[in-house]
Amino acid sequence: MRSPRSARQPRHGRAPRPLGLPRSVPPGAALAAVLVLAAVSVSGCGDDSSGDSGQPGNREGTQKSSEPASRSASRSSSPSRTQHSSKGSTRRSPALPASLTKQHPRWSRCPAPNAAQGEDAGSPQPLPGGARWECATLKAPVDYGKPKGKTIGIEMIRAKKRKGGGKRIGSLVFNFGGPGGSGVATLPSFAKDYEKLRGRYDLVSFDPRGVGRSAGVNCMSAKKLDAYFAADWTPDNNAEEKQLFSRQNSFANGCEKRAGSLLPHLTTKNTARDMDLMRHVLGDRKLHYFGISYGTELGGVYAHLYPKKVGRAVLDSVVDPSATPEKGALSQTSGFRLALDNYLRACVAKGEDCPVGKDPEEGKQKITDLLADLDAEPMPTDSGRKLTESLAEGGIAQALYSQEMWDMLSQGLEEAFVDSNGTTLLLLADALNGRNQDGSYSTLQSSLAAISCADAEQRYTAGDIESKLPDFTHASPVFGPMSAWGLAQCHGWPVKGQWRSPEVSARGSAPILLIGTTGDPATPYGGTRRMKQKLGDHVAVEVTYRGEGHGAYDSRNKCVRAKVNDYLVHGKVPPDGTTCR
């Protein structure tokens, strides 16, 4: 999930944001506390059984290209009215008015990302061949139960299919995670990775509702967010517990004050409905989709609502759709423990250049001691701000999203251990929290909370969390306590959540390609198999990447790239159970 930048291209010395930041980062902390999260009335689940030349057929077959949008738009299937409830029943919901279904977005040159999107991403650079990015705004109903009521603008970005790549298949829509990530700011950062796909598709992404330029939510002033993220999120006594829950109340009150009427409608289901409206307006009979991290949950929800509208779909770094916030957070705690262990082993193998010592266990203890010291006394940085325990843990976790950031983590730890300087760890924490260089914040964390709490119905008390602390601490002494207290994220939230876990069953859908990474800290590998079970074995095709980090395709592994490209470009579905190394 965000104003992420490529983990390979840090700019201006600032820490890069990892691809696919997962749902629900504990305030100021390193981990996503409600990874699997987390409606109002909808305009429905697709039940269109008509044929489509862009739809995958059987798993061994190949797909034919769909018609160009200019020819097929008038015939593209409209957003349908039948909705499947979470219990499997169907009901009717209001049809969308022609003012929405027949709109023609005005595409024009994209401006530079603003602070809400993460302005450090910089202006979208021209594509190979000199092509320019185009941006436009899609109108969608705030409340799909009242489709003729108020609308919300969904900001979109696209790079049109390049010449000479072959016959156009359609649009390929990306969601990079979060929830809360700005797709408009992110897609250009990864454009080179997707250039082969642009040979057959228009590449499209968007700021989901409540994010960035799509009525983005920001719950506090920058000064208050600085204090919020730096605060103590691992209380040691009753007084500190009360302070934690008081901060959460203040955060929730700020969200209600700034975006109260919008908060009930910032659900994943509504974003899935926005994507189906987008599909229709773009002129595609099927939604071709590439979802990463939380984007896999969004893709699963779309497939459940509109199984007959699924075209070629890839879900990379797969969220476990069956997990409650508690189970998701505990699983992710174990995932970050594994990533830290892998980092420590690799670091120690380098010898004298490793700042954590000669043994992985020694290194883990040094990090645990560092966090305890920071809990007692924050560390100075070159910026004049202080590195607190929460910020340091967030910085460490940020670096574990990608193996390519391990050197930066070593640099940050060496500064802290040797020089008592927290500058690099603070840069990493700022990237995780969406802090821009000028001190402003993107909507990343506020949007993440707003979407998570609109989705998930679970609310956790201090007593609930205290009872779970031993399990979290056992899962990871480094990350466990803060991850457990991150379950307080929705305390005091003014809107009730809509589900205990998302419904993603997709009977009747075309094949959906799932990619799970064995060393993924943020969306642990076991979630891939559970997504497969929930989607249905007849739908999901699983590919395992035995590697490190979050985001298999953008790890640049040649095997993963080849499997995904063959599927999206040529319609070739790999054998279920394929492994890449």
Side-chain angles (χ1 to χ4, degrees):
M1 42 172 316
R2 174 189 92 191
S3 55
R5 290 198 303 265
S6 167
R8 301 177 293 278
Q9 301 292 333
R11 296 187 178 96
H12 312 301
R14 184 176 173 80
R17 179 168 305 288
L19 181 68
L21 180 70
R23 186 189 282 269
S24 198
V25 176
L31 303 179
V34 210
L35 173 63
V36 195
L37 340 150
V40 293
S41 297
V42 264
S43 147
C45 167
D47 193 28
D48 179 10
S49 59
S50 60
D52 178 73
S53 57
Q55 177 185 355
N58 60 49
R59 294 184 179 180
E60 290 73 31
T62 57
Q63 299 164 305
K64 298 179 181 178
S65 299
S66 58
E67 295 176 86
S70 59
R71 295 175 57 192
S72 64
S74 63
R75 305 197 277 126
S76 64
S77 54
S78 299
S80 64
R81 299 175 59 186
T82 304
Q83 175 198 345
H84 289 295
S85 74
S86 60
K87 296 182 180 180
S89 63
T90 59
R91 58 187 171 86
R92 305 293 287 181
S93 59
L96 297 181
S99 60
L100 298 179
T101 61
K102 295 185 178 181
Q103 63 184 298
H104 298 283
R106 299 177 62 182
W107 294 96
S108 61
R109 185 170 179 173
C110 296
N114 63 11
Q117 294 170 306
E119 59 189 11
D120 291 352
S123 300
Q125 297 300 306
L127 292 146
R132 294 281 181 180
W133 294 94
E134 299 176 319
C135 287
T137 303
L138 175 79
K139 291 193 302 180
V142 170
D143 183 347
Y144 275 85
K146 300 176 181 178
K148 295 182 180 179
K150 294 181 179 179
T151 61
I152 184 172
I154 305 299
E155 191 74 4
M156 302 182 295
I157 188 170
R158 77 175 178 185
K160 296 189 74 172
K161 174 194 169 300
R162 61 179 168 81
K163 296 179 180 179
K167 188 175 182 180
R168 181 181 180 275
I169 295 171
S171 303
L172 182 61
V173 177
F174 290 80
N175 181 280
F176 295 94
S182 166
V184 173
T186 305
L187 180 57
S189 297
F190 291 92
K192 291 182 180 178
D193 289 346
Y194 305 131
E195 185 61 16
K196 182 175 180 64
L197 301 178
R198 195 166 70 91
R200 301 292 301 280
Y201 292 96
D202 296 342
L203 305 183
V204 177
S205 193
F206 64 106
D207 288 356
R209 54 175 57 211
V211 176
R213 280 196 164 101
S214 299
V217 176
N218 216 328
C219 297
M220 287 182 164
S221 67
K223 184 177 181 180
K224 288 182 177 179
L225 285 173
D226 275 345
Y228 179 77
F229 291 127
D232 184 355
W233 294 100
T234 55
D236 300 316
N237 51 51
N238 288 337
E240 290 184 354
E241 284 184 13
K242 289 181 179 179
Q243 291 172 359
L244 184 153
F245 281 93
S246 177
R247 285 193 299 272
Q248 283 303 106
N249 269 329
S250 296
F251 185 85
N253 289 339
C255 294
E256 184 175 24
K257 181 178 179 180
R258 293 177 176 224
S261 62
L262 190 60
L263 295 181
H265 308 293
L266 300 182
T267 63
T268 296
K269 282 186 177 179
N270 278 343
T271 297
R273 295 165 192 144
D274 293 341
M275 288 203 304
D276 197 57
L277 178 59
M278 187 183 306
R279 170 200 63 76
H280 175 72
V281 169
L282 290 171
D284 294 319
R285 292 185 59 83
K286 304 287 180 177
L287 178 74
H288 306 295
Y289 179 72
F290 199 137
I292 302 162
S293 195
Y294 161 77
T296 68
E297 180 182 301
L298 175 61
V301 170
Y302 180 91
H304 174 68
L305 292 175
Y306 308 100
K308 300 293 186 180
K309 303 290 178 61
V310 175
R312 303 178 188 181
V314 174
L315 307 184
D316 182 357
S317 299
V318 183
V319 166
D320 178 358
S322 67
T324 62
E326 172 197 348
K327 290 181 180 179
L330 187 59
S331 175
Q332 196 173 63
T333 300
S334 298
F336 274 93
R337 180 202 65 210
L338 174 63
L340 180 61
D341 289 347
N342 290 341
Y343 159 74
L344 291 171
R345 283 194 292 269
C347 184
V348 167
K350 290 184 176 181
E352 294 181 0
D353 292 336
C354 178
V356 299
K358 298 180 179 180
D359 179 78
E361 288 303 315
E362 176 189 352
K364 191 180 302 182
Q365 188 60 52
K366 287 184 70 172
I367 291 172
T368 302
D369 292 344
L370 171 65
L371 295 174
D373 291 343
L374 292 172
D375 188 26
E377 183 178 356
M379 184 176 288
T381 71
D382 292 351
S383 69
R385 295 163 59 210
K386 295 293 184 72
L387 179 74
T388 65
E389 176 195 21
S390 298
L391 292 170
E393 185 171 326
I396 293 167
Q398 166 77 358
L400 294 175
Y401 274 91
S402 170
Q403 192 170 359
E404 295 180 5
M405 289 196 283
W406 286 3
D407 286 346
M408 194 170 186
L409 175 56
S410 293
Q411 176 184 329
L413 291 174
E414 182 171 11
E415 287 177 359
F417 292 146
V418 177
D419 302 323
S420 296
N421 186 304
T423 297
T424 297
L425 291 179
L426 182 61
L427 285 172
L428 286 161
D430 284 348
L432 185 71
N433 293 328
R435 192 180 196 270
N436 297 311
Q437 289 187 87
D438 63 2
S440 64
Y441 280 85
S442 73
T443 65
L444 172 64
Q445 294 293 349
S446 296
S447 301
L448 186 153
I451 297 166
S452 299
C453 299
D455 278 350
E457 68 179 34
Q458 294 89 341
R459 303 291 185 258
Y460 294 89
T461 67
D464 294 332
I465 295 171
E466 287 170 354
S467 70
K468 303 174 193 308
L469 269 172
D471 290 339
F472 278 81
T473 302
H474 178 73
S476 173
V478 174
F479 299 114
M482 199 172 295
S483 183
W485 285 105
L487 293 172
Q489 176 180 244
C490 297
H491 174 75
W493 200 256
V495 173
K496 291 183 177 181
Q498 301 298 308
W499 62 37
R500 293 196 65 79
S501 59
E503 177 58 73
V504 299
S505 60
R507 186 174 182 82
S509 168
I512 297 175
L513 188 61
L514 309 183
I515 309 172
T517 300
T518 55
D520 190 328
T523 52
Y525 177 66
T528 307
R529 178 54 53 89
R530 286 185 280 277
M531 177 68 85
K532 177 178 171 63
Q533 293 168 347
K534 291 292 184 179
L535 284 170
D537 286 338
H538 57 287
V539 170
V541 179
E542 185 177 1
V543 173
T544 296
Y545 169 45
R546 297 197 176 279
E548 298 293 329
H550 189 54
Y553 188 89
D554 287 284
S555 73
R556 295 179 175 173
N557 177 270
K558 292 182 179 179
C559 172
V560 171
R561 285 277 176 96
K563 300 303 180 187
V564 172
N565 291 345
D566 280 349
Y567 172 55
L568 289 176
V569 176
H570 304 296
K572 183 179 179 181
V573 181
D576 189 28
T578 294
T579 296
C580 290
R581 300 178 186 274

